[in-house]
Amino acid sequence: MKLNWGSGIAIVYTLFAAGMILFAVIASRQNFDLVTDNYYEEAVNYQKKIDAGNNAVNSESKLSITYLKTGNAIEISTDGKIKSTIGMLSFYKPDKASDDFKLNFSTDDSGKQLIPLKKLAHGYWKINASWNLNGKDCFEVQKIFIP
């Protein structure tokens, strides 16, 4: 069977239309999670978060968050000037919002706390730490990768 140029054009247009429909179906099935459900309130209060980050940088006691690969845990420690610190850790996974969670932390008299993380999924995580130090809110972000 011999095809003429009109049939070739019809086949090309048909394949193009089928490809565009397939692309639209695949694109409509994608899951798009927002960083937070109340993004407007977060945007209004963003200056408070910037001020809290500056308070953490300029404070007399530093808080460090370290991921320990051997024990699959997070170690929170202070530099020793202030022994006990109470705050909250927010674990944010950019590619899957259903894995996000929050934990309270409280360092002991030695200025350390070890938090085991058995349910942490593989991938990139962003940890937001917030605490209060001498009446000032403090905020710090730590990024980790779980192999």
Side-chain angles (χ1 to χ4, degrees):
M1 174 177 165
K2 187 172 181 182
L3 296 176
N4 60 13
W5 63 272
S7 298
I9 291 174
I11 291 171
V12 168
Y13 279 137
T14 304
L15 289 175
F16 177 74
M20 293 305 291
I21 291 171
L22 180 65
F23 174 75
V25 168
I26 290 172
S28 67
R29 291 184 179 173
Q30 295 296 318
N31 184 15
F32 297 103
D33 294 324
L34 296 174
V35 173
T36 181
D37 290 333
N38 53 356
Y39 62 92
Y40 181 74
E41 294 171 15
E42 291 283 333
V44 170
N45 294 324
Y46 193 68
Q47 185 60 44
K48 291 179 184 175
K49 191 179 278 188
I50 292 171
D51 294 340
N54 290 336
N55 290 341
V57 169
N58 298 329
S59 70
E60 65 271 3
S61 180
K62 304 294 182 197
L63 183 82
S64 65
I65 303 166
T66 309
Y67 174 66
L68 306 173
K69 292 179 183 178
T70 55
N72 196 23
I74 296 286
E75 182 183 52
I76 301 169
S77 60
T78 60
D79 62 358
K81 293 180 183 174
I82 295 181
K83 300 293 182 190
S84 62
T85 303
I86 299 171
M88 178 181 289
L89 296 176
S90 298
F91 289 81
Y92 166 66
K93 190 154 176 32
D95 59 343
K96 193 172 181 187
S98 62
D99 287 349
D100 296 352
F101 64 98
K102 294 181 179 182
L103 289 175
N104 291 324
F105 73 89
S106 176
T107 58
D108 58 10
D109 290 338
S110 66
K112 294 185 179 185
Q113 182 182 6
L114 189 67
I115 301 172
L117 301 171
K118 295 178 182 173
K119 66 177 186 174
L120 224 57
H122 165 76
Y124 172 76
W125 287 86
K126 184 175 165 186
I127 304 171
N128 298 326
S130 57
W131 69 98
N132 193 303
L133 184 64
N134 297 331
K136 292 182 180 180
D137 291 331
C138 297
F139 180 78
E140 186 175 325
V141 177
Q142 178 71 35
K143 299 172 185 176
I144 63 170
F145 182 79
I146 307 295

